[in-house]
C-alpha cells in the first residue's frame, strides 16, 4: 500500500483503541501488527498489486508495480488506469469494470500493458471486486504478473519446435532424395548394362552380317580366278557376287545413314514429291524379293493429285525399308499390302503383312536402334536392326510420324506412316530438281548419259577399281587414262590434259588432297582448271567439305552406281563448256 497508507492504518488503529478503552489495547496492538505485516507483504511482492475505483482511478500501488511499470506510487495514484493500457487495448478496461460491477472475478487474463518508458509488457491479470462492510462493491484489486520471461521461453520453444520440424522435413526430403537417387542410379546402371549388352549384340550382328556376303564374294571370286567354275556356272557365280556385294553395300549405307542421323548431318533434297511415284518405285524394287519368297504384293493407291514436301529418294527408302521388312517376316503364301490414302491434311502410307507379328512387350522398342526381337544365334532372319530406326528418323525429318501395330505373334503387323501434304503449288512435270549425287535405287548403267569423246583421267591406287572405272567409262564413250599415284597422274597430265579428273582420296604417299592442291597451282593452259571429282570411301559430311575446299567440284562416295558417276561427270563437263 505504500508508506503513506501504512501510517494511515496505524493512526486509525491507535485512535480506535483509545475510544474502546485500555482493556482492548492488547487486541488492537495485535490488529495493528497484523495490518503492518500485511502491508509489508504487499509491498515486497514481486507482482504488481493495485487497487482502483469503479471509475478506473488508481488508489494503491505497491513496490512490485513500481518495478514492473516504472511509475512510483506518488506518480501514479489518483490517475486513471488507462495510462497503463496501449491504445489498441483500451476496449478491455470497460469490459473488465463491467464484470467487476457484476461481482465477477477475472482470473489469469493475459494481455499487454505499457510501461513508463513506452515499452510493452506481457502480463497476466487477476482482478477481484472490493466490497465495504455493507457488501457493496466499491472498487477492484488487481494482481498483474510479468510473464515476459515465460512468453520469451514459449516463443523460443515455438521457434525451436518450428526449427526442429523444418530440420525434420529437410531430413525427410534428403532421405527421399537419397532414395530416389539410389533408384535412379540403379536404373542408370541397368540401362548402362542393357546398352552394353545391346552394343555387344550389335557388334556381333554387324560382324555376322558383313562377313556373310563377304564369304560368298571371296569364295566365288577365288573359284573364278582358279578356273574352278564351269562355263555354265560363271553367270551364277557373278550373280552371286553382285547380289552379295549389293547386300553389303546396303548394310554400309544403313550404318552411314544412322551415323548421319545421330549427328544431325543427313542431307535431303526437299521438293514436291508425288507419293504414287516413290511408292511405285519402292514396290518395283522389292518385287523380285517378294516373288522369290512366294509373297503376294498388293497395293491400294489413292490416285488423287497430291504432293508432300520431301526428298523422294529418302521417302522411297522409307517405303522400301518397310516393304523389305514385311517381306522378310512373311512366310511363303502370305501377302504384303501397301495402302495410300489421303486423310484430312496429311497422307497415310500403311504397310501390312500376314507374317510373324510382333510381341506386345517388344512393340514399344520396335523403332529403337540396334534392337531386334530375336537376338539368338539361331535366328531365322538376318539384319542389323537399323531399318525401322532409319524409317522413324527419316519420317520425323519430313515432319511426319510412324506407328507400329500388331495383334501379337503370328498375327502379322501394320506400319503406318503419316506425312503432311504440300500446300497448293505449280510445277513443270518435265523439269525436276535432282541433286547430282542423289542415289537412285532403280538406276541402271544402261540408262546412263554418254561421255563420247571426253578425255578422263582416273587416279586410284587399287588396280581393280581403276580397271572397273576404265571399263565402265569407256562403255559410255569416254577416252580413259588411268594412274596409280599422284606422280603417275601428273605424268599423264603432261602428256595430255584431260577434260575431267576422277581421283581417289586415300592413297599411299601423296593422297587425293595433295593431288588437287598441286593441280590447282598450275596455269590454266597446263591443266589448273580441270574439273575434278573426288571418288572416295570417306563419305562423312566433313570429308565432303574437305574435298570441296581442297579444290574438287564434286564429292561422290563409294560404292557408286555407274549411271550416277557418269551423270555427275557429264554435268561437270557440260558446265565447263
Amino acid at each position: 500500500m505504500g508508506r503513506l497508507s501504512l501510517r494511515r492504518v496505524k493512526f486509525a488503529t491507535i485512535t480506535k483503541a483509545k475510544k474502546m478503552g485500555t482493556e482492548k489495547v492488547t487486541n488492537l496492538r495485535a490488529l495493528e501488527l497484523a495490518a503492518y505485516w500485511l502491508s509489508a507483504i504487499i509491498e515486497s511482492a514481486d507482482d504488481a498489486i493495485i487497487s482502483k475505483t469503479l471509475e478506473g482511478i488508481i488508489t494503491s500501488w505497491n513496490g512490485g508495480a513500481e518495478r514492473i511499470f516504472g511509475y512510483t506510487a506518488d506518480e501514479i495514484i489518483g490517475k486513471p488506469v488507462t495510462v497503463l493500457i496501449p491504445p489498441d487495448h483500451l476496449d478491455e478496461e470497460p469490459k473488465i469494470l463491467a464484470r467487476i460491477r457484476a461481482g465477477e472475478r477475472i482470473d489469469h487474463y493475459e494481455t499487454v500493458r505499457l510501461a513508463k518508458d513506452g515499452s510493452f509488457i506481457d502480463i497476466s491479470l487477476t482482478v477481484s471486486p472490493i466490497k465495504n462492510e455493507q457488501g457493496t462493491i466499491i472498487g477492484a484489486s488487481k494482481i498483474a504478473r510479468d510473464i515476459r520471461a515465460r512468453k520469451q521461453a514459449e516463443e523460443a520453444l515455438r521457434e525451436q519446435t518450428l526449427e526442429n520440424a523444418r530440420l525434420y522435413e529437410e531430413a525427410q526430403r534428403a532421405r527421399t532424395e537419397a532414395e530416389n537417387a539410389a533408384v535412379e542410379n540403379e536404373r542408370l546402371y541397368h540401362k548402362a548394362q542393357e546398352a552394353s549388352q545391346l552394343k555387344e549384340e550389335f557388334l556381333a550382328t554387324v560382324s555376322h552380317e558383313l562377313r556373310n556376303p563377304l564369304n560368298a564374294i571371296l569364295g566365288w571370286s577365288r573359284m573364278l580366278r582358279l578356273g574352278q567354275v564351269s562355263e555354265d556356272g560363271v553367270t551364277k557365280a557373278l550373280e552371286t557376287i553382285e547380289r552379295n556385294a549389293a547386300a553389303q553395300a546396303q548394310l554400309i549405307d544403313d550404318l552411314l545413314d544412322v551415323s548421319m542421323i545421330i549427328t544431325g548431318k543427313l542431307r535431303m533434297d526437299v521438293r514436291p514429291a508425288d507419293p504414287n511415284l516413290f511408292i511405285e518405285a519402292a514396290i518395283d524394287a522389292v518385287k523380285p524379293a517378294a516373288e522369290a519368297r512366294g509373297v503376294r504384293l498388293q497395293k491400294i493407291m489413292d490416285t488423287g493429285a497430291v504432293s508432300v514436301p520431301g526428298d523422294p529418294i529418302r521417302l522411297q527408302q522409307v517405303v522400301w525399308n518397310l516393304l523389305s521388312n514385311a517381306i522378310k517376316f512373311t512366310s511363303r503364301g502370305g501377302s504384303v499390302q501397301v495402302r495410300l490414302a489421303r486423310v484430312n491434311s496429311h497422307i497415310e502410307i500403311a504397310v501390312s503383312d500376314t507374317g510373324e507379328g510382333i510381341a506386345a512387350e517388344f512393340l514399344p522398342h520396335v523403332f529403337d536402334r540396334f534392337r531386334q526381337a530375336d537376338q539368338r544365334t539361331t535366328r531365322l532372319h538376318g539384319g542389323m536392326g537399323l531399318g525401322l530406326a532409319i524409317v522413324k528418323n527419316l519420317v520425323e525429318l519430313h515432319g511426319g510420324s510412324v506407328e507400329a501395330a500388331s495383334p501379337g505373334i503370328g498375327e502379322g503387323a501394320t506400319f503406318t506412316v503419316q506425312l503432311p501434304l504440300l500446300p497448293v503449288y505449280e510445277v513443270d512435270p518435265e523439269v525436276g530438281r535432282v541433286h547430282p549425287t542423289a542415289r537412285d535405287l532403280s538406276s541402271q548403267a544402261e540408262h546412263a548419259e554418254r561421255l563420247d569423246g571426253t578425255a578422263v583421267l582416273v587416279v586410284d591406287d587399287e588396280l581393280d577399281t581403276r580397271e572397273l572405272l576404265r571399263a565402265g567409262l569407256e562403255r559410255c564413250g569416254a577416252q580413259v587414262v588411268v594412274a596409280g599415284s599422284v606422280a603417275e597422274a601428273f605424268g599423264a597430265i603432261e602428256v595430255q590434259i584431260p577434260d575431267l579428273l576422277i581421283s581417289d582420296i586415300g592413297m599411299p604417299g601423296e593422297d587425293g588432297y595433295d593431288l588437287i592442291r598441286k593441280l590447282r597451282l598450275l596455269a590454266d593452259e597446263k591443266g589448273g582448271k580441270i574439273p575434278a571429282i573426288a571418288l572416295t570411301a570417306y563419305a562423312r559430311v566433313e570429308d565432303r567439305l574437305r574435298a570441296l575446299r581442297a579444290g574438287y567440284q564434286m564429292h561422290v562416295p563409294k560404292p557408286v552406281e555407274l549411271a550416277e558417276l557418269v551423270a555427275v561427270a557429264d554435268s561437270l563437263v557440260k558446265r565447263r563448256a
Side-chain angles (χ1 to χ4, degrees):
M1 288 189 296
R3 295 173 182 173
L4 180 61
S5 299
L6 185 61
R7 287 196 297 271
R8 288 177 177 173
V9 169
K10 183 178 180 181
F11 177 77
T13 302
I14 295 172
T15 303
K16 188 174 181 180
K18 288 180 179 180
K19 290 180 179 179
M20 295 176 63
T22 56
E23 67 278 6
K24 302 285 181 89
V25 170
T26 303
N27 291 336
L28 289 175
R29 286 180 178 172
L31 180 62
E32 177 185 7
L33 183 61
Y36 177 82
W37 282 110
L38 178 61
S39 176
I41 291 171
I42 292 174
E43 186 69 21
S44 61
D46 289 332
D47 296 334
I49 301 175
I50 306 166
S51 62
K52 62 183 178 181
T53 66
L54 293 178
E55 289 73 31
I57 303 301
I58 298 172
T59 58
S60 67
W61 188 264
N62 74 333
E66 183 175 339
R67 286 190 296 274
I68 293 174
F69 295 104
Y71 293 101
T72 63
D74 294 335
E75 291 175 323
I76 200 70
I77 291 176
K79 292 184 179 179
V81 74
T82 52
V83 299
L84 305 175
I85 302 176
D88 56 341
H89 285 69
L90 287 175
D91 60 334
E92 294 178 0
E93 184 62 15
K95 296 176 183 178
I96 292 173
L97 291 175
R99 293 179 64 181
I100 292 299
R101 291 190 185 98
E104 295 182 26
R105 173 185 169 92
I106 301 171
D107 288 318
H108 308 299
Y109 173 67
E110 294 187 1
T111 184
V112 178
R113 291 295 180 258
L114 276 173
K116 182 178 178 181
D117 60 6
S119 61
F120 293 98
I121 305 171
D122 294 308
I123 63 169
S124 174
L125 282 179
T126 296
V127 187
S128 305
I130 297 176
K131 300 179 181 180
N132 60 15
E133 294 177 354
Q134 290 75 31
T136 304
I137 299 173
I138 60 174
S141 67
K142 59 196 299 185
I143 299 175
R145 176 163 292 175
D146 186 351
I147 58 172
R148 283 178 292 184
R150 195 198 80 193
K151 285 285 187 180
Q152 290 172 357
E154 289 177 351
E155 180 64 20
L157 180 61
R158 188 184 69 83
E159 291 179 356
Q160 186 61 48
T161 302
L162 291 176
E163 178 66 11
N164 290 342
R166 185 185 66 80
L167 292 175
Y168 176 77
E169 289 177 0
E170 287 186 356
Q172 289 292 96
R173 186 164 53 250
R175 178 181 175 181
T176 302
E177 290 175 356
E179 290 174 350
N180 292 340
V183 172
E184 178 66 11
N185 289 338
E186 185 176 1
R187 186 188 68 81
L188 292 176
Y189 173 76
H190 288 304
K191 189 174 181 180
Q193 290 290 96
E194 182 183 6
S196 178
Q197 182 180 352
L198 287 175
K199 178 182 176 182
E200 292 176 1
E201 291 172 352
F202 169 68
L203 291 176
T205 302
V206 169
S207 175
H208 175 270
E209 294 299 321
L210 291 177
R211 285 175 182 274
N212 265 349
L214 189 61
N215 182 64
I217 293 170
L218 291 175
W220 281 108
S221 298
R222 289 194 185 101
M223 291 177 68
L224 287 170
R225 181 172 58 82
L226 297 174
Q228 297 174 348
V229 182
S230 65
E231 189 172 335
D232 294 338
V234 170
T235 301
K236 178 182 178 182
L238 292 176
E239 288 175 351
T240 303
I241 291 173
E242 182 180 5
R243 183 172 62 254
N244 282 276
Q248 197 170 52
Q250 183 61 51
L251 293 173
I252 294 171
D253 281 347
D254 285 349
L255 288 170
L256 291 176
D257 283 345
V258 168
S259 175
M260 288 188 291
I261 288 169
I262 292 173
T263 57
K265 297 178 180 178
L266 184 69
R267 296 168 55 244
M268 294 197 303
D269 179 24
V270 179
R271 52 195 170 99
D274 186 342
N276 289 279
L277 295 181
F278 64 72
I279 292 174
E280 287 284 358
I283 292 174
D284 291 341
V286 301
K287 267 183 181 178
E291 292 172 357
R293 291 183 60 87
V295 175
R296 186 171 68 258
L297 274 178
Q298 299 173 327
K299 60 180 179 180
I300 303 174
M301 309 289 282
D302 183 347
T303 57
V306 296
S307 292
V308 296
D311 185 331
I313 300 301
R314 291 297 183 182
L315 292 174
Q316 179 182 334
Q317 182 181 0
V318 167
V319 181
W320 180 86
N321 269 338
L322 292 176
L323 287 172
S324 298
N325 204 60
I327 292 169
K328 181 170 68 172
F329 290 99
T330 301
S331 303
R332 182 173 295 275
S335 64
V336 173
Q337 184 186 84
V338 185
R339 186 180 71 255
L340 169 65
R342 177 172 178 173
V343 181
N344 298 326
S345 61
H346 64 270
I347 63 166
E348 282 188 357
I349 304 170
V351 177
S352 304
D353 64 70
T354 59
E356 297 180 7
I358 306 171
E361 61 270 16
F362 186 73
L363 202 56
H365 307 289
V366 73
F367 293 107
D368 293 352
R369 290 191 295 270
F370 314 133
R371 290 291 290 268
Q372 292 179 305
D374 187 1
Q375 295 282 4
R376 299 170 299 173
T377 57
T378 57
R379 60 195 180 122
L380 300 176
H381 308 288
M384 295 186 294
L386 295 177
L388 292 179
I390 292 173
V391 165
K392 183 175 188 295
N393 283 277
L394 288 179
V395 169
E396 290 178 348
L397 286 173
H398 283 83
S401 62
V402 59
E403 295 179 351
S406 174
I409 298 296
E411 299 293 331
T414 299
F415 290 84
T416 304
V417 174
Q418 292 187 351
L419 295 171
L421 289 174
L422 191 70
V424 178
Y425 66 95
E426 294 183 2
V427 62
D428 184 356
E430 299 299 323
V431 179
R433 182 172 65 88
V434 181
H435 196 282
T437 60
R439 300 189 64 185
D440 188 345
L441 300 177
S442 62
S443 64
Q444 301 293 331
E446 287 73 18
H447 303 105
E449 287 83 351
R450 301 289 298 175
L451 294 173
D452 294 325
T454 302
V456 180
L457 172 60
V458 173
V459 184
D460 198 300
D461 61 310
E462 293 287 340
L463 176 61
D464 291 343
T465 302
R466 293 199 302 270
E467 293 305 317
L468 174 64
L469 290 173
R470 183 207 291 271
L473 293 172
E474 285 180 346
R475 187 150 55 87
C476 294
Q479 300 171 1
V480 182
V481 175
V482 297
S485 65
V486 173
E488 289 182 18
F490 277 99
I493 291 172
E494 289 178 0
V495 174
Q496 178 187 0
I497 298 176
D499 298 315
L500 178 69
L501 168 69
I502 300 176
S503 175
D504 186 24
I505 293 295
M507 295 184 291
E510 294 179 295
D511 60 18
Y513 298 124
D514 297 322
L515 169 61
I516 196 65
R517 291 192 190 98
K518 288 184 177 181
L519 184 65
R520 295 300 180 229
L521 293 175
L522 297 178
D524 292 356
E525 62 274 12
K526 292 187 178 181
K529 296 293 185 180
I530 299 173
I533 298 173
L535 180 61
T536 172
Y538 295 102
R540 298 174 303 170
V541 174
E542 49 264 43
D543 298 322
R544 175 177 176 272
L545 292 175
R546 185 179 178 188
L548 296 178
R549 289 167 180 162
Y552 289 99
Q553 276 79 22
M554 293 300 300
H555 172 275
V556 179
K558 294 178 181 178
V560 63
E561 291 283 348
L562 180 60
E564 178 183 340
L565 179 60
V566 172
V568 174
D570 181 62
S571 173
L572 280 183
V573 172
K574 287 179 179 178
R575 188 187 305 173
R576 188 186 187 194

